Amino acid sequence: MSKYNNIKTKVDGIMFDSKKEAARYGVLKLLEKKKKIFNLKLQPKFPIAVNGEKICTYIADFSYSDMVPNGAGYDVVEDVKGVKTAIYRLKKKLVKAVYGIDIQEV
């Protein structure tokens, strides 16, 4: 058992950190199949550097491009969260500052 009581779950040969993350993957795969989203990526990495010095790397759960009614796409970065640790909250702010990305929490 993990310290946050999550249960690792395997789907499509991929091991996810929790049942909740695995379930979200299933929803995103269905949306991708229906052409509602595209370019689904698992665990995309976002290196964080300040003044050329590497500070850390944020690893999201998912990223994808979402469709809007006019057919254009926009990029989404998602994190499936149960517990928002202090480190996560800091990395979320760093991703916003360095990349201009608002992480969506599911």
Side-chain angles (χ1 to χ4, degrees), residues 16-102:
F16 293 93
D17 286 336
S18 68
K19 286 183 176 182
K20 188 175 178 182
E21 186 179 341
R24 182 61 181 159
Y25 170 74
V27 169
L28 292 173
K29 286 298 286 182
L30 184 61
L31 290 171
E32 187 176 50
K33 186 176 180 180
K34 291 183 174 188
K35 308 269 191 237
K36 301 284 184 186
I37 67 168
F38 56 97
N39 200 25
L40 177 61
K41 294 179 185 167
L42 281 63
Q43 299 205 322
K45 294 176 173 59
F46 297 87
I48 306 294
V50 177
N51 296 330
E53 181 80 25
K54 183 178 178 190
I55 304 300
C56 62
T57 299
Y58 168 69
I59 303 172
D61 290 327
F62 306 104
S63 69
Y64 55 89
S65 295
D66 201 351
M67 300 297 289
V68 291
N70 69 4
Y74 63 95
D75 294 331
V76 177
V77 175
E78 272 190 10
D79 212 302
V80 178
K81 279 288 159 222
V83 176
K84 295 178 190 173
T85 65
I87 297 282
Y88 166 74
R89 290 192 302 270
L90 175 61
K91 285 184 177 184
K92 181 179 178 178
K93 289 177 185 178
L94 288 168
V95 168
K96 175 68 174 177
V98 172
Y99 291 97
I101 295 171
D102 286 311

